[in-house]
């Protein structure tokens, strides 16, 4: 009997010791800061609230402004905050962290208890172009950049690149950042974001970028979206793979486009013209829908063909086409900037 008892007691004692040691070890892990929403660098309303996430419960949390309520691994800091720059210091038993915000002053609405998100960015790529010369594409891009610089609220950050590797890097950086970013192309697509010859029909950087709830947008001018330039690297399958719509094409040389009411309101520089590669709205499938029709074959929203138009994949990314014309001079840069300033990045 004695022997049996010791056989039972010893493993039990060892198990309890292991549980004790491991629970002590778990409790002594320092709790670290993970993220804040809105993120540091954002602009806030005075009555905003900020949600913090830690990797464990932050005991003894104190904040240098506002009121903090802790709930498990999260904490909510509520205003009012004093207008001007805000360096919000968080301290808790295991550490400290500083978040920097700009709090909007008097005269602005303080009603919503939400924060203004950071603004997205725009990248123009002119390293490969088709149905427009590189020089003309650069001129249009620079016109758009000048216009975006003067957007209300301090301008919209944008830049021009010829480097296809930079396009990929930038897309990876701006993916999943909860802001609408816009890539502008001129009738061709770099292989770094969509491997040529439709080598990656699913999962390319371009497709991944369009499949987050950021609402990121690829805006294309001149030739067919993702056709792939003079060599026709991708042809019809490029757009079809990106949208996952097998039947969609952009055929339609010289299709008259009439500016819609929303077009007149949002893109004052847009005039009636003939599109050579209009979007086929009657071929949209799945969650794709025409979000903003600026000009169409009917001049209204019941159209089957449109250019410029923004189509969107449910609550995910967007494809915009603007002046899909063959070697024609249009105010591509001006109208693109109007769409971005007045609609996509406000
Ligand atoms: Ca984004
Ligand atoms: Ca696909």
């Amino acid at each position: 009997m004695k022997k049996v008892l010791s056989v039972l007691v010893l493993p039990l004692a060892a198990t309890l010791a292991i549980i004790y040691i491991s629970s002590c070890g778990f409790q002594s892990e320092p709790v670290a800061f993970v993220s804040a929403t809105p993120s540091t660098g954002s602009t806030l309303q005075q009555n905003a609230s900020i949600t913090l996430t830690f990797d464990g419960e932050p005991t003894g949390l104190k904040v240098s402004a506002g009121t903090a309520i802790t709930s498990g691994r999260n904490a909510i800091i509520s205003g009012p905050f004093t207008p001007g720059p805000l360096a919000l210091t968080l301290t808790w038993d295991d550490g400290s962290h500083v978040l920097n915000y700009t709090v909007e002053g008097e005269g602005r609405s303080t009603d919503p208890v939400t924060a203004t998100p950071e603004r997205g960015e725009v990248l123009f790529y002119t390293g490969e172009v088709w149905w427009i010369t590189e020089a003309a594409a650069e001129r249009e891009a620079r016109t758009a950049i000048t216009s975006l610089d003067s957007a209300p609220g301090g301008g919209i950050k944008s830049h021009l690149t010829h480097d296809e590797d930079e396009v990929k890097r930038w897309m990876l950086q701006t993916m999943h950042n909860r802001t609408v970013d816009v890539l502008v192309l001129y009738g061709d697509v770099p292989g770094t974001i969509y491997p040529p010859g439709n080598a990656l029909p699913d999962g390319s950087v371009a497709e991944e970028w369009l499949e987050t709830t950021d609402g990121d947008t690829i805006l294309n001018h001149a030739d067919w979206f993702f056709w792939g330039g003079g060599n026709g690297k991708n042809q019809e399958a490029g757009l079809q793979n990106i949208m996952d719509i097998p039947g969609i094409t952009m055929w339609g040389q010289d299709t008259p486009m009439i500016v819609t009411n929303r077009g007149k309101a949002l893109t004052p520089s847009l005039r009636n013209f003939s599109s050579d590669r209009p979007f086929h709205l009657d071929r949209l499938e799945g969650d794709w829908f025409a979000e903003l029709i600026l000009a169409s074959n009917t001049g209204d929203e019941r159209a089957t063909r449109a250019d410029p138009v923004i189509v969107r994949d449910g609550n995910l990314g967007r494809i915009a086409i603007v002046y899909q014309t063959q070697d024609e001079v249009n105010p591509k840069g001006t109208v693109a900037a109007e769409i971005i300033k007045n609609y996509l990045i406000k």
Side-chain angles (χ1 to χ4, degrees):
M1 189 63 193
K2 240 182 182 175
K3 210 172 179 181
V4 172
L5 192 67
S6 69
V7 165
L8 285 173
V9 167
L10 278 173
L12 184 64
T15 307
L16 286 173
I18 288 164
I19 289 169
Y20 178 74
I21 290 163
S22 64
S23 71
C24 284
F26 177 73
Q27 281 174 356
S28 67
E29 283 276 309
V31 173
F33 171 80
V34 175
S35 63
T37 306
S39 56
T40 189
S42 303
T43 299
L44 304 177
Q45 304 289 333
Q46 283 174 260
N47 287 343
S49 55
I50 301 162
T51 303
L52 309 176
T53 304
F54 296 83
D55 65 357
E57 183 166 343
T59 48
L61 179 68
K62 290 191 176 63
V63 291
S64 62
T67 311
I69 297 171
T70 307
S71 169
R73 294 153 60 145
N74 294 107
I76 293 176
I77 306 175
S78 306
F81 301 107
T82 309
L86 168 65
L88 182 65
T89 305
L90 321 170
T91 52
W92 63 102
D93 287 354
D94 298 326
S96 65
H97 191 85
V98 179
L99 298 163
N100 290 294
Y101 295 101
T102 303
V103 179
E104 298 212 303
E106 299 287 347
R108 305 291 289 257
S109 168
T110 54
D111 291 336
V113 190
T114 52
T116 310
E118 274 180 79
R119 259 183 170 178
E121 296 178 17
V122 185
L123 179 64
F124 295 84
Y125 173 67
T126 55
E128 294 150 276
V129 301
W130 195 245
W131 278 12
I132 185 170
T133 64
E134 198 174 320
E138 280 198 21
R139 269 199 308 278
E140 297 299 338
R142 294 201 187 284
T143 299
I145 288 169
T146 302
S147 174
L148 294 173
D149 280 346
S150 66
I156 294 169
K157 195 175 158 193
S158 65
H159 71 285
L160 170 66
T161 185
H162 304 100
D163 178 0
E164 63 171 1
D165 292 319
E166 191 187 341
V167 177
K168 179 182 176 180
R169 274 196 304 275
W170 179 84
M171 289 181 102
L172 293 173
Q173 281 164 8
T174 54
M175 192 189 285
H176 288 299
N177 64 354
R178 297 193 301 272
T179 66
V180 176
D181 301 286
V182 182
L183 172 68
V184 181
L185 302 175
Y186 294 86
D188 201 347
V189 54
T192 50
I193 65 163
Y194 184 77
N198 304 297
L200 198 57
D202 294 307
S204 61
V205 170
E207 188 165 353
E208 296 280 309
W209 200 67
L210 291 175
E211 291 186 350
T212 86
T213 51
D214 283 4
D216 289 332
T217 307
I218 301 178
L219 188 158
N220 181 66
H221 297 287
D223 195 16
W224 193 307
F225 190 101
F226 277 42
W227 180 267
N231 301 327
K233 291 178 292 208
N234 311 313
Q235 305 198 7
E236 288 97 329
L239 179 67
Q240 292 167 353
N241 288 333
I242 280 292
M243 299 187 80
D244 297 321
I245 301 178
I248 200 134
T249 70
M250 298 185 80
W251 297 114
Q253 203 83 12
D254 297 321
T255 306
M257 289 292 135
I258 304 160
V259 180
T260 64
N261 287 336
R262 291 182 88 192
K264 286 172 193 159
L266 292 169
T267 47
S269 302
L270 180 64
R271 299 284 175 270
N272 295 350
F273 73 106
S274 287
S275 175
D276 295 321
R277 294 291 180 255
F279 216 99
H280 292 205
L281 302 179
D282 51 347
R283 299 306 298 267
L284 291 172
E285 286 178 14
D287 292 333
W288 286 97
F289 68 101
E291 183 182 5
L292 180 63
I293 301 171
L294 298 163
S296 72
N297 59 332
T298 56
D300 62 26
E301 314 263 327
R302 290 167 300 178
T304 55
R305 301 286 182 273
D307 176 7
V309 62
I310 297 172
V311 295
R312 187 165 190 188
D313 185 7
N315 66 343
L316 305 179
R318 302 170 164 106
I319 288 174
I321 61 161
V322 181
Y323 283 120
Q324 302 265 191
T325 58
Q326 183 170 10
D327 303 310
E328 285 175 33
V329 177
N330 323 105
K332 294 182 176 77
T334 304
V335 171
E338 287 173 351
I339 294 171
I340 295 167
K341 285 199 292 194
N342 298 334
Y343 188 77
L344 288 171
I345 304 179
K346 286 176 71 172

